[in-house]
């Protein structure tokens, strides 16, 4: 065998790791060109709690096929009855989906659901697929997931939401998206089923936008319940007072969503106290890293932590009124002292 022929055989029998990697990337890029429609896109959903169940339901109603996973399977039953397929792990959802959404509780849950090497969603995603985290979570974790997705020839978007249970049910959520802007635009038909998406920047910036949202809400909620407490102690009809201020500068979404609930002693969670404590804790951690002092945020966090100490973490964020009532030894509803009521 000639030296030239031996070299020819060696050339064409060598491994092609670089070429294969390029082929995988090309495949992912081609799949990105496919429009997102009910006929072309399989959707997965992980986390069917208070928010996720309604959000996923809008995708079903729009005609998308849906594969779901929830740690407590019974919480996905409503979606299953409407046509969703229930599977046994986040990885199973990913294997059956082109776009996987997740909305779970804590950053530790996000890490497990997305990055677990055997059962996490990224372990099951095909090249070119997209992972969308709609949990309010740590911006650094969003960047980590984006890097892991890129290594798997996939993409990820951090897209936390604001609007509570009512926004989830009505499909009017505000969605803060971080990641590749082209990917966010491509997913707009899906986001449009749930609300209005706004692109905020690269990986992690969706999470940072949501944290700023939570800081604003926290101080607004403190102002709302303190104003209600003052009106009550001043002898005003609190319901009439809320109606009077609602059309002025003191009007707010928090007043619209929670004022009546507070008066009716409706503390059912549209957004859990324990999740808000988690969010505000992440905000404080971010502020510490920035060298940023936000005393209103710190005060709101402590008031909500006090609700946790009283076993009220499963109530809605409007339960902040209970902390203010305890501080003043009174009850907004009856005007009686807490000791006698």
């Amino acid at each position: 065998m000639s030296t030239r022929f031996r070299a020819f055989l060696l050339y064409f029998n060598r491994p092609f790791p670089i070429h294969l990697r390029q082929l995988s990337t090309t495949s992912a890029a081609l799949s990105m060109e496919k429009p997102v429609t009910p006929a072309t896109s399989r959707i997965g959903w992980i986390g069917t709690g208070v928010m996720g169940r309604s959000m996923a339901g809008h995708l079903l109603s729009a005609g998308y096929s849906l594969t779901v996973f929830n740690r407590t399977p019974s919480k996905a039953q409503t979606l299953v009855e409407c046509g969703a397929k229930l599977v046994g792990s986040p990885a199973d959802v990913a294997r059956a989906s082109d776009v996987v959404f997740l909305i779970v509780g804590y950053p530790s849950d996000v890490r497990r659901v997305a990055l677990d090497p055997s059962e996490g969603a990224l372990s099951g995603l095909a090249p070119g697929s997209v992972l969308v985290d709609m949990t309010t979570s740590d911006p650094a974790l969003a960047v980590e997931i984006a890097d892991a997705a890129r290594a798997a020839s996939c993409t990820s978007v951090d897209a936390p939401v604001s609007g509570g249970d009512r926004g989830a049910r009505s499909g009017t959520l505000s969605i803060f998206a971080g990641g590749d802007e082209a990917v966010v635009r491509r997913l707009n038909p899906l986001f449009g089923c749930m609300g209005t998406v706004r692109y905020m920047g690269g990986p992690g910036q969706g999470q940072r936008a949501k944290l700023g949202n939570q800081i604003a809400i926290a101080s607004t909620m403190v102002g709302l319940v303190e104003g209600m407490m003052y009106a009550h102690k001043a002898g005003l009809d609190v319901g009439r007072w809320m109606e009077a201020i609602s059309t002025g500068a003191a009007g707010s979404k928090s007043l619209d969503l929670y004022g009546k609930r507070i008066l009716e002693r409706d503390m059912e969670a549209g957004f859990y106290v324990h999740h808000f404590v988690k969010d505000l804790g992440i905000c404080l951690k971010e502020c510490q890293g920035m060298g940023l002092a936000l005393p209103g945020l710190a005060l709101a966090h402590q008031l909500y932590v006090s609700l946790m100490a009283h076993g009220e973490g499963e109530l809605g964020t409007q339960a902040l009124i209970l902390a203010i009532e305890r501080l003043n030894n009174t009850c907004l509803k009856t005007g009686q002292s807490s000791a006698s009521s």
Side-chain angles (χ1 to χ4, degrees):
M1 184 183 295
S2 70
T3 301
R4 180 178 297 178
F5 186 64
R6 187 181 297 111
F8 175 86
L9 288 178
L10 286 172
Y11 178 84
F12 279 99
N13 283 283
R14 77 195 194 284
F16 288 84
I18 295 176
H19 292 69
L20 287 175
R21 191 179 302 117
Q22 291 171 341
L23 179 63
S24 173
T25 303
T26 302
S27 173
L30 287 175
S31 69
M32 280 294 297
E33 297 173 3
K34 183 174 65 174
V36 174
T37 69
T40 61
S41 304
R42 303 167 302 158
I43 309 302
W45 197 281
I46 301 167
T48 56
V50 172
M51 301 284 288
R53 185 164 52 247
S54 295
M55 294 161 70
H58 291 308
L59 296 175
L60 271 176
S61 297
Y64 290 94
S65 65
L66 194 68
T67 302
V68 301
F69 168 80
N70 197 76
R71 187 170 51 186
T72 306
S74 61
K75 292 185 177 179
Q77 189 58 37
T78 302
L79 294 171
V80 172
E81 291 171 357
C82 293
K85 179 183 178 183
L86 181 65
V87 295
S89 73
D92 290 336
V93 171
R95 292 186 189 101
S97 307
D98 302 306
V99 181
V100 174
F101 292 88
L102 67 96
I103 181 165
V104 291
Y106 292 83
S108 58
D109 299 318
V110 173
R111 178 177 295 280
R112 174 178 51 81
V113 163
L115 298 177
D116 183 273
S118 59
E119 294 198 341
L122 276 178
S123 71
L125 277 180
S129 301
V130 185
L131 180 66
V132 183
D133 179 19
M134 306 193 84
T135 316
T136 301
S137 185
D138 191 326
L141 178 56
V143 173
E144 183 180 345
I145 291 172
D147 290 342
R150 190 178 304 110
S153 298
C154 300
T155 52
S156 74
V157 174
D158 49 291
V161 301
S162 179
D165 60 325
R166 292 188 180 183
R169 288 197 301 270
S170 63
T172 57
L173 293 168
S174 291
I175 304 167
F176 311 102
D180 187 313
E181 187 172 5
V183 175
V184 174
R185 283 199 306 267
R186 176 174 172 255
L187 298 180
N188 195 57
L190 301 174
F191 288 133
C193 295
M194 296 175 268
T196 301
V197 64
R198 292 174 174 82
Y199 180 69
M200 306 308 297
Q205 293 299 84
Q207 294 294 351
R208 292 187 177 96
K210 175 59 187 294
L211 294 179
N213 179 85
Q214 300 302 75
I215 292 168
I217 287 176
S219 294
T220 300
M221 286 296 294
V222 172
L224 172 61
V225 297
E226 288 188 344
M228 292 177 74
M229 181 58 65
Y230 171 81
H232 165 70
K233 292 292 283 185
L236 294 168
D237 180 312
V238 180
R240 188 177 301 167
W241 171 81
M242 288 194 303
E243 184 179 348
I245 72 166
S246 65
T247 56
S252 69
K253 198 75 170 180
S254 294
L255 172 60
D256 296 340
L257 288 175
Y258 298 119
K260 185 178 179 182
R261 292 195 200 188
I262 291 170
L263 279 185
E264 294 177 350
R265 311 304 284 183
D266 176 5
M267 302 299 167
E268 184 178 355
F271 191 74
Y272 291 112
V273 164
H274 65 81
H275 282 159
F276 202 42
V277 168
K278 174 263 296 184
D279 292 357
L280 299 185
I282 296 172
C283 292
L284 287 169
K285 177 184 173 184
E286 282 280 294
C287 288
Q288 184 175 2
M290 297 174 180
L292 185 62
L294 298 181
L297 165 63
L299 171 61
H301 181 256
Q302 286 296 295
L303 290 171
Y304 276 103
V305 167
S306 78
L307 295 178
M308 298 279 290
H310 282 84
E312 294 159 347
E314 294 292 315
L315 300 180
T317 50
Q318 69 272 26
L320 183 62
I321 190 64
L322 303 179
I324 301 301
E325 287 178 340
R326 277 190 285 264
L327 283 173
N328 291 283
N329 194 36
T330 191
C331 178
L332 192 66
K333 183 176 177 64
T334 67
Q336 297 176 340
S337 69
S338 58
S340 61
S341 62

